[in-house]
Amino acid sequence: MGKRTGRVCLAIGYLGASAALGLAFLWVPSVPNDAFESPEAQRLFYWHVPSAWMAMIAFGVLFVGSALWFMRRSALGWRLHVAGSEAGLATGLMAVWSGCLWGAAEWGVPWDWTDVRLNSFALLTLLALVLVLGRRAQPDGVESRDTFATAGLFGFVLVPFTYIATRIWQIRHPGPVIASGDGGGSLAPEMGALLGFAALSFTVLIVGHLMESVHLTSLEQRLDRLQGKLDAEVTE
């Protein structure tokens, strides 16, 4: 039953995310025409925000896994490190990609190199890319794991920095629309309800992805051990 939980979460997450994206285009009201240059492009909001939320969860898992490996040489910690870096790369690219589409429609440019929030999140995604590609390019061992775990630990400082960047330096990226500290938010009830549903669905999706990734890494490690034993027996 435990091995199926990840698959069940993936299935439920995919269904919920698909429904949320469909409702974003077919049900939720559009924003006022005088509030945005491209009102219809705002519907990407229901993909972009949950993707960024998933990325924060993934980088949190990356931090926990890196800490467990670095301090305790935990096999589970390394699996969490692998799962977090891969999920962080996938969801980070999703958030960056959807943000670029919205920026191109709303701002006329897909990216603003002067915006702190955009660039700090891009650095997080770049960190995940380096960890994923570096791990695949280097032989697996304690020293290489220590190096990647250290990068995961120090890179995590970008997570809280990215969260507060919009509140302190709001340049291009819009300010918070929920949990803004003003007692409410700037979302209409329908929009808030759909965003909450999308966030919940994407959260279930990322949890399933992480569970499946941990299980897959465990199988790969078991296969490597068996291959090592087989090679030793053949050598003898």
Side-chain angles (χ1 to χ4, degrees), residues 132-167:
V132 171
L133 294 183
R135 192 179 64 252
R136 295 184 178 182
Q138 297 292 326
D140 188 23
V142 173
E143 292 183 356
S144 62
R145 291 186 181 187
D146 284 348
T147 300
F148 296 133
T150 302
L153 287 173
F154 283 101
F156 184 76
V157 72
L158 287 170
V159 172
F161 181 81
T162 299
Y163 176 76
I164 65 174
T166 300
R167 300 172 183 267

Side-chain angles (χ1 to χ4, degrees), residues 56-189:
M56 295 299 108
I57 295 176
F59 287 118
V61 171
L62 170 63
F63 174 78
V64 172
S66 298
L68 286 175
W69 169 259
F70 196 78
M71 293 186 295
R72 297 186 178 182
R73 294 294 188 268
S74 168
L76 175 60
W78 180 248
R79 294 167 194 163
L80 290 174
H81 170 95
V82 173
S85 60
E86 293 179 346
L89 175 59
T91 55
L93 289 175
M94 288 167 59
V96 169
W97 170 77
S98 56
C100 287
L101 288 180
W102 186 86
E106 182 64 24
W107 304 333
V109 291
W111 198 265
D112 186 347
W113 293 104
T114 66
D115 192 291
V116 179
R117 171 69 176 270
L118 296 180
N119 293 308
S120 63
F121 190 88
L123 285 175
L124 266 174
T125 306
L126 180 61
L127 170 65
L129 176 63
V130 170
L131 291 177
V132 171
L133 294 183
R135 192 179 64 252
R136 295 184 178 182
Q138 297 292 326
D140 188 23
V142 173
E143 292 183 356
S144 62
R145 291 186 181 187
D146 284 348
T147 300
F148 296 133
T150 302
L153 287 173
F154 283 101
F156 184 76
V157 72
L158 287 170
V159 172
F161 181 81
T162 299
Y163 176 76
I164 65 174
T166 300
R167 300 172 183 267
I168 299 177
W169 303 287
Q170 186 177 340
I171 301 175
R172 285 270 196 174
H173 195 282
V177 295
I178 53 176
S180 56
D182 58 3
S186 59
L187 291 180

